[in-house]
Each structure stands twice: as C-alpha cells, then as structure tokens.
Amino acid sequence: MKMVRYLLAVCILLGGHLVSRAQKNDTIPSYIKGKQGTGYPVADTLGPHKKDSLRNARKGTNTDSPYKLDSTTRKKHDPRRATLYSTFFPGLGQIYNRKYWKLPLVYAAVGIPAYTYFYNKSWYQKCQQALAVLLDTPLTDAKLKSVDPKLRVFLTSGDDNSLRSYRNQFRKDQDYSVIFFLLFWGLQIVDATVDAHLMDFDVTPELSLRLQEGSGSTGPAMAGMGGMTSPASVGVVLDIHKARYKRLFVP
C-alpha cells in the first residue's frame, strides 16, 4: 500500500513538472491558439507606427510604406489615343507606343511621296508655261527667258507635242504621289493602332510550343495496306490554353 502511494506521488510530481515546462515554452500567441499551425513560430515584427501598412498601401494614403501597388493596377495603354496621334501627325503614334526605331521608316514612307508630289507639280507648271509661250506667237527673247533653260530647246524647235507629253507625264506622276502619300499615311495609322493593342497583350501564359514524336503505331489509313506502321516523324504542336497556376506553400 505504501508502494502504491509512493508511485502515485511520483507520477503527480512528474506531471506537474511537465505541465509547467510546456506553459513556459509556449510561443504561440493567444489569438491564434486552436488554429492549425504551420510549424513555424509567429512573431509580430511590425512596430506600433507600422500598423495597417498593407491596408494603407492599397489605398495609397501611406507615403512612408515600403509596399507598392501591384503592377496590374497601372494605367493601360490606350489604342484610341495612338490612333488619334498618328492621324493628326505621322510618327506621333509610334512615339506614344515607344517604338522610336520606326520613326525613320514612317518619315521616309510619308516624306518621299510628299517630295515627289512637289517636284512633279513644279515641272508640270514649267511645262504648262513653256507650252503657253510656244503657242503665243511671235516668240521673243523676253518670252524665251521666262521659260526654264531645259525646256527652251522645245520652243526653238517648235516641238509642242513633246512639251504636251512631258506635261501629261508630270501630271500623272503628281497624282501617283498623292495616292502613295495617302496610302502610307493610313498604313502608319494602322501600325500605331496594332502596336498599341499588343502592348498590353501577354501571350506567354497562353501559348506553348513543343516538339512531339510520331507514335509509329498502325493507323486506320494503314490498316488496308497490310497493317504497315506509320513512319517516325517529328511534329510541332501549338497549345492554346488558359493560364495555369501552381499552389505555393506560404509559411
């Protein structure tokens, strides 16, 4: 009987010692007791002046917070603005899209037809004036000096047919210059609009490209040819799918 009492007393002492030691080493805060733990000690490292810094960072009211807004909340690129800029002046849409390397191409495509238009218009007017002087008889030295030196030979020889042919050719080239000018002006507007639409279009999580070997198995088309197997081959597969996300363990 004394032995049983002695054993009970020893068990009580050991149990009390273990309980007091567990209470001393308990590092889990009281506000998360009873929840599933992650195996890591939780400690509050934010000072009293840093409270609700994440909430203020989302609202944009805390200027001292080290947290920044997500990049997805930035202002999107406006394709309509790029279209309007390119319509008013060529190259402004490319500048808005930050495609500066396209500016020489745009100005060359628009500037060359503009130059040829004024060049052909000038020579058309010179031929028209020379033809008017040739038809206004008699031909005097004062009238001959008013004509371009390159066209005086036609006046001295009285070749009005050549003058008409040159005049009509310059007029035709002038009309072609206007057509090409308008065409390239429209193309640079389309280019700026398409670039603006593609700037916020991310294809990396949606498209994937992989190589796939031929199976070499017997197909339905080969069944009627003595059960021949298809030859080995390598194909390219374009996979279009939604974005796939992996779950990450956050302690």
Side-chain angles (χ1 to χ4, degrees), residues 28-118:
I28 301 177
S30 59
Y31 60 87
I32 64 172
K33 285 186 177 181
K35 297 182 180 180
Q36 184 178 1
T38 58
Y40 298 94
V42 179
D44 188 7
T45 57
L46 297 178
H49 62 285
K50 295 291 184 177
K51 289 183 177 180
D52 295 337
S53 60
L54 292 176
R55 184 181 301 175
N56 293 331
R58 293 177 182 175
K59 295 181 180 180
T61 57
N62 189 5
T63 57
D64 297 334
S65 176
Y67 300 98
K68 295 182 180 180
L69 293 176
D70 191 2
S71 59
T72 56
T73 61
R74 69 181 186 275
K75 188 177 180 180
K76 292 185 177 181
H77 208 69
D78 190 5
R80 184 180 299 178
R81 184 173 297 181
T83 304
L84 292 177
Y85 287 167
S86 296
T87 304
F88 292 147
F89 191 80
L92 286 182
Q94 283 73 18
I95 295 175
Y96 176 71
N97 294 335
R98 296 185 294 275
K99 297 297 181 63
Y100 305 106
W101 63 272
K102 292 185 177 181
L103 291 179
L105 301 177
V106 171
Y107 291 139
V110 178
I112 292 176
Y115 170 76
T116 55
Y117 169 79
F118 290 106

Side-chain angles (χ1 to χ4, degrees), residues 5-248:
R5 292 179 181 177
Y6 178 74
L7 291 175
L8 288 175
V10 171
C11 292
I12 292 173
L13 291 175
L14 289 176
H17 178 69
L18 293 175
V19 170
S20 62
R21 188 174 181 180
Q23 290 179 354
K24 183 179 180 181
N25 295 332
D26 188 7
T27 58
I28 301 177
S30 59
Y31 60 87
I32 64 172
K33 285 186 177 181
K35 297 182 180 180
Q36 184 178 1
T38 58
Y40 298 94
V42 179
D44 188 7
T45 57
L46 297 178
H49 62 285
K50 295 291 184 177
K51 289 183 177 180
D52 295 337
S53 60
L54 292 176
R55 184 181 301 175
N56 293 331
R58 293 177 182 175
K59 295 181 180 180
T61 57
N62 189 5
T63 57
D64 297 334
S65 176
Y67 300 98
K68 295 182 180 180
L69 293 176
D70 191 2
S71 59
T72 56
T73 61
R74 69 181 186 275
K75 188 177 180 180
K76 292 185 177 181
H77 208 69
D78 190 5
R80 184 180 299 178
R81 184 173 297 181
T83 304
L84 292 177
Y85 287 167
S86 296
T87 304
F88 292 147
F89 191 80
L92 286 182
Q94 283 73 18
I95 295 175
Y96 176 71
N97 294 335
R98 296 185 294 275
K99 297 297 181 63
Y100 305 106
W101 63 272
K102 292 185 177 181
L103 291 179
L105 301 177
V106 171
Y107 291 139
V110 178
I112 292 176
Y115 170 76
T116 55
Y117 169 79
F118 290 106
Y119 175 81
N120 293 315
K121 182 179 180 181
S122 175
W123 277 103
Y124 169 77
Q125 293 175 350
K126 292 177 181 179
C127 291
Q128 187 73 10
Q129 181 184 1
L131 185 60
V133 171
L134 179 61
L135 297 178
D136 187 13
T137 57
L139 182 63
T140 61
D141 293 338
K143 294 179 180 179
L144 189 62
K145 290 181 180 179
S146 64
V147 179
D148 190 91
K150 296 181 180 180
L151 301 177
R152 290 175 186 176
V153 63
F154 299 107
L155 273 68
T156 55
S157 62
D159 190 2
D160 58 337
N161 292 327
S162 298
L163 276 176
R164 286 190 177 90
S165 178
Y166 278 111
R167 181 196 63 180
N168 296 335
Q169 185 63 37
F170 285 124
R171 178 59 185 270
K172 185 184 297 184
D173 293 340
Q174 178 183 345
D175 295 339
Y176 284 146
S177 300
V178 174
I179 293 174
F180 282 108
F181 178 80
L182 296 177
L183 176 63
F184 287 121
W185 190 294
L187 287 178
Q188 63 92 22
I189 294 175
V190 173
D191 175 75
T193 305
V194 172
D195 276 343
H197 278 288
L198 294 179
M199 287 193 69
D200 293 326
F201 183 71
D202 188 10
V203 299
T204 51
E206 299 294 335
L207 301 178
S208 62
L209 188 67
R210 68 179 186 272
L211 296 177
Q212 182 175 359
E213 287 189 32
S215 59
S217 60
T218 303
M222 297 293 179
M225 301 178 62
M228 296 176 61
T229 58
S230 61
S233 60
V234 176
V236 178
V237 179
L238 186 63
D239 185 14
I240 302 177
H241 56 270
K242 294 183 179 180
R244 299 170 182 171
Y245 303 97
K246 295 182 179 179
R247 293 183 179 180
L248 299 177

